[in-house]
Amino acid sequence: MGDRPGNVSFTEFQLIGFTDLKGYRPLLFIPFCIILVFSLLSNGIIMFVIATHRKLHAPMYILIGFIAALGFFVPIYFVPRMLVSFLWNLNTITRHECLIQMFCLHFSGCFQSSILLGMAVDRYIAIVFPLRYNDFVNLTNSVIFSAILSIRNAVIIVAMVGLVVPLTFCKTNLIYHSFCEHTSVVNVACNDISKNYLALLIAFGIPSFDCFVVFCSYVIIFVVIFRSPSGESRQKAIHTCTTHIMGIAVAYISVVTAFVGYRVSTIPRDVRILTSSMYLLVPGLFNPVIYGLRTTEIRTHVVKYFKCNKISTF
């Protein structure tokens, strides 16, 4: 498989990322397998702890649980297929599977941005309007806020992926990537793809807008914090906000790194694939550590869980 004359569209693609490494390519199985196992275990523990303790069913902990859920499911979307490709060189993916994978990955990226926005809004209300927190952050408002962001993300990503559906892939079915990333797929199409790039630009605008709102929120938050009198509540607010900023920094630095990697032509293509893979995987690696270690309530329950399991094994 490779090139096909005429305008008959390929129904299968070959994801041949990292093949420039030649004989060293199978060695990538080890680090990506470790990343997959660690992401599943660490995020699974965070989800389990939050789900099984009623004291952690507050809005902020639920949002952390959603972040952990993303860290758990996103690697499942593409890493197992990468591992199979590294070991046995089985690179085939059908067109329908490719579109489903593309939707899941891009929707997850937007969903992660929405969760970070939700965290920023929650902290903003808790610190700027502490006496009215329960009035603003209630079940009804939370459902409305979540529904608006979910519908926004779904509409834009469905439109972006939907514009890929009618494309004709007659140039080649070889995609130098390890998963169906939007740009890599549409670049092998024979049609005019200007609408696809416009849709991608709009989709990229979601995390950009969310990042701007998050930044403004935390500027106001820290102004309010540092104007407040010193004390235990002030230190707790600084600690909590710093924890969230660390998680936000990991997410958005990963996005910027991947974006720059695709825009700088001198960067080797294997490095581009690595940066786009890390953009999806790095938050799932660091968030359990950040929130698990720095959030006292979660850390306490995780420690208790391991102590109980250790005692029960004897």
Side-chain angles (χ1 to χ4, degrees):
M1 280 190 160
D3 299 331
R4 175 180 292 180
N7 60 354
V8 179
S9 185
F10 284 104
T11 58
E12 293 182 343
F13 299 115
Q14 299 291 321
L15 297 173
I16 57 171
F18 296 113
T19 50
D20 285 350
L21 297 176
K22 298 179 181 179
Y24 295 102
R25 187 172 184 260
L27 296 178
L28 292 175
F29 176 89
I30 298 173
F32 278 98
C33 184
I34 293 173
I35 289 172
L36 177 64
V37 172
F38 180 81
S39 295
L40 295 180
L41 287 177
S42 58
N43 288 289
I45 290 171
I46 297 295
M47 286 192 296
F48 176 79
V49 167
I50 292 174
T52 54
H53 292 84
R54 288 189 176 182
K55 291 182 179 180
L56 299 180
H57 290 178
M60 180 52 63
Y61 300 119
I62 293 174
L63 290 171
I64 293 175
F66 282 140
I67 284 285
L70 280 179
F72 183 90
F73 286 107
V74 167
I76 295 176
Y77 296 149
F78 71 101
V79 175
R81 183 180 289 276
M82 289 175 63
L83 298 180
V84 170
S85 175
F86 293 151
L87 283 187
W88 295 288
N89 203 33
L90 299 176
N91 306 314
T92 303
I93 184 171
T94 67
R95 179 168 173 162
H96 296 301
E97 290 174 335
C98 185
L99 292 174
I100 292 171
Q101 186 186 68
M102 184 189 301
F103 173 83
C104 291
L105 292 176
H106 285 282
F107 183 76
S108 296
C110 290
F111 192 55
Q112 175 179 258
S113 179
S114 299
I115 295 173
L116 296 175
L117 175 61
M119 287 182 169
V121 171
D122 180 89
R123 288 302 87 195
Y124 176 85
I125 296 173
I127 293 172
V128 179
F129 304 104
L131 299 179
R132 301 194 62 191
Y133 179 81
N134 292 328
D135 294 332
F136 289 117
V137 183
N138 53 48
L139 180 60
T140 302
N141 290 340
S142 298
V143 170
I144 293 173
F145 182 77
S146 301
I148 291 173
L149 293 182
S150 297
I151 293 172
R152 177 199 68 172
N153 297 346
V155 168
I156 292 176
I157 301 303
V158 166
M160 186 185 77
V161 177
L163 288 173
V164 181
V165 174
L167 293 179
T168 301
F169 299 95
C170 57
K171 291 180 181 178
T172 180
N173 71 335
L174 302 179
I175 299 176
Y176 201 88
H177 213 296
S178 292
F179 55 87
C180 289
E181 191 271 334
H182 179 271
T183 303
S184 299
V185 174
V186 300
N187 278 343
V188 299
C190 305
N191 318 72
D192 177 18
I193 57 174
S194 56
K195 291 182 179 179
N196 299 91
Y197 276 109
L198 178 61
L200 179 63
L201 184 63
I202 295 173
F204 186 76
I206 292 177
S208 300
F209 172 78
D210 291 348
C211 181
F212 175 75
V213 176
V214 168
F215 175 78
C216 293
S217 299
Y218 275 100
V219 168
I220 297 173
I221 286 170
F222 275 101
V223 168
V224 173
I225 288 176
F226 287 111
R227 283 182 176 178
S228 63
S230 299
E232 184 178 346
S233 59
R234 175 178 172 177
Q235 294 302 318
K236 184 177 180 181
I238 293 174
H239 179 83
T240 302
C241 291
T242 303
T243 300
H244 298 321
I245 288 175
M246 291 171 65
I248 291 167
V250 168
Y252 286 117
I253 288 174
S254 301
V255 172
V256 171
T257 302
F259 181 79
V260 172
Y262 271 93
R263 298 301 179 273
V264 180
S265 58
T266 56
I267 295 178
R269 55 183 183 175
D270 281 340
V271 175
R272 295 180 186 179
I273 297 175
L274 182 63
T275 57
S276 60
S277 300
M278 290 301 101
Y279 146 64
L280 295 170
L281 296 174
V282 164
L285 289 173
F286 282 87
N287 285 333
V289 178
I290 293 172
Y291 295 113
L293 293 180
R294 291 183 58 85
T295 306
T296 305
E297 293 80 0
I298 294 177
R299 183 179 68 248
T300 301
H301 289 295
V302 169
V303 171
K304 286 183 180 178
Y305 173 75
F306 278 107
K307 282 184 177 180
C308 290
N309 281 352
K310 186 176 180 180
I311 292 173
S312 62
T313 57
F314 289 100

